[in-house]
Amino acid sequence: MEKIIVRGGKRLSGTVKVEGAKNAVLPVIAASLLASEGKSIIRDVPILSDVYTIGEVLRHLNAGVEFVDKTIIVDASEDLNVEAPFEYVRKMRASVLVMGSLLARQGRARVALPGGCAIGSRPIDLHLKGFEAMGAKVKVENGFVEASADKLRGAKIYLDFPSVGATQNIMMAAVLAEGSTVIENCAKEPEIVDLANYLNSMGAYVRGAGTGTIRIEGVEKMYGADHTIIPDRIEAGTFMVAAAITGGNVLIQGAVPEHLSSVIAKLEEMDVTIIEEETGIRVIGPDKLKAVDIKTMPHPGFPTDMQSQMMALLVCAEGTSIITETVFENRYMHAEEFRRMNSDIKIEGRSVIINGPSQLQGAEVAATDLRAAAALIIAGLKADGYTRVTELKHLDRGYLDFHLKLRSLGADIERVKDLTVETEIVETNS
Ligand SMILES: CC(=O)N[C@H]1[C@@H](OP(=O)(O)OP(=O)(O)OC[C@H]2O[C@@H](n3ccc(=O)[nH]c3=O)[C@H](O)[C@@H]2O)O[C@H](CO)[C@@H](O)[C@@H]1O
Ligand SMILES: C=C(OP(=O)(O)O)C(=O)O
């Protein structure tokens, strides 16, 4: 079994560069299916397991997908297959994002229904309501959801919740629909803006991305385009927390302050020094961290994808902090693992109460989801002794070379394949 072994106590310093955003590249690759002419060139792609998975989904759908370093070239000019089977959707829920493009291009899409996952039940009802409003017939049968429409028509769609995935799927369906679509109470995340920019460069007409209302005028045809993915704000935020917890001084290159305003505000409240520099954000950790309360919200609120990393930091802060998770109903599985590292955390419904500071202690812990994996490693940076983090498949979905990047900043960290090697490395480091 693979593990990351980290020995706490090192202050991080230096410069780290963030990759392109995983959560921007997945919808952009799904949108490349809309181009019936020309190839799309997508740059600054983080080469993660999720990116391979969406690449496999596209190949299965009869698109050409080529990886050249951090660039992906997609050729979707042939007729497409319309079915995404469970083997892909099970690996990665974001596979459902091909549905809007397939429906718009082929008039039909059949995608395995994603199950629940470690952070909640995650239904796709809002995606489907949007397709139905545009005239699609939707049915759920034998574990698949199937949508079909001879021709999608533009519609006014109000989302009960500003779902990121529903906004993206509806945008992709609407760009080739007949007439105007208005999506109200839509998601405002930077990844929505990135998708809109890509769609517009393919020939679509999308306005208002980044606000609560998106307007789309359908076009006849879309073309391959050249697009560079935005920097990953969650990877950036993760390194900001890693710098803060170790009392370090790290420049996070490529981090965009406007994408991280809520994270910056909370870190500053905790007495972390944040300096916006020309090439990124510098984070200087204090000797003592102050407790703060956090409530996760849709953007520009505090991102749920930073909740577990902040939990690691709040465990080390002086005083009582309360985290309230409003986006996912069950995103606290990591709290149990933090307890094993000697932290005082109580879960009360949708909130957790953290009494700090605790001196974290190294332990063997298991990642329960992608961000929990990063959070446990961050906790290990501050813990006494060795922390061993298992279930790294979660980490690999969203972080490229995480341990190597941390090591380049001075962390004492190894990734090992089996117990024998682990013993050797532990001895080398002690
Ligand atoms: C690949 C990707 O970009 N993933 C991100 C995306 O996930 P994703 O797009 O799945 O997240 P959503 O914004 O759709 O989900 C937010 C909430 O809405 C609920 N919901 C969503 C759709 C729906 O049809 N019905 C419904 O009830 C979900 O169960 C959840 O409670 O946004 C989340 C919220 O910022 C992030 O944590 C994920 O990292
Ligand atoms: C929850 C996440 O991703 P996904 O929606 O792909 O599960 C995440 O990026 O933290």
Side-chain angles (χ1 to χ4, degrees), residues 22-23 26 50 92-94 117 119 122 234 304-306 328 331 369-371 397-398:
K22 162 196 145 278
N23 286 348
L26 300 176
D50 268 13
M92 187 189 69
R93 301 178 41 81
C117 77
I119 61 178
R122 306 185 75 179
I234 305 300
T304 173
D305 293 350
M306 283 299 301
F328 289 106
R331 205 172 190 177
D369 74 50
L370 156 58
R371 306 303 167 188
R397 284 190 50 219

Side-chain angles (χ1 to χ4, degrees), residues 20-30 45-59 65 67 72 87-98 117 119 122 232 305 331 369-371 392-400:
K22 162 196 145 278
N23 286 348
V25 79
L26 300 176
V28 161
I29 293 176
V45 174
I47 305 300
L48 301 162
S49 60
D50 268 13
V51 172
Y52 282 119
T53 304
I54 193 105
E56 280 173 37
V57 175
L58 260 68
R59 284 192 184 123
V65 181
F67 286 77
I72 292 187
E87 60 183 285
Y88 301 117
V89 183
R90 182 180 47 190
K91 261 198 221 161
M92 187 189 69
R93 301 178 41 81
S95 310
V96 300
L97 290 175
V98 298
C117 77
I119 61 178
R122 306 185 75 179
D232 195 317
D305 293 350
R331 205 172 190 177
D369 74 50
L370 156 58
R371 306 303 167 188
L392 299 180
K393 62 177 188 288
H394 296 297
L395 184 75
D396 296 339
R397 284 190 50 219
Y399 293 91
L400 194 68

Side-chain angles (χ1 to χ4, degrees), residues 23 122-127 161 163-165 304-305 327-328 331:
N23 286 348
R122 306 185 75 179
I124 57 163
D125 55 313
L126 300 173
H127 306 225
F161 183 87
S163 153
V164 174
T304 173
D305 293 350
V327 178
F328 289 106
R331 205 172 190 177

Side-chain angles (χ1 to χ4, degrees), residues 12-18 235-244 248-257 260 273-285 405 408-409:
L12 300 189
S13 71
T15 300
V16 66
K17 194 170 179 308
V18 295
E235 189 198 9
T238 302
F239 281 110
M240 289 168 77
V241 172
N249 180 340
V250 175
L251 174 64
I252 294 122
Q253 248 178 12
V256 180
L260 283 154
T273 303
I274 306 283
I275 305 165
E276 291 179 20
E277 298 191 1
E278 211 172 300
T279 60
I281 299 175
R282 180 173 297 282
V283 177
I284 304 170
K405 287 185 175 186
S408 77
L409 296 174

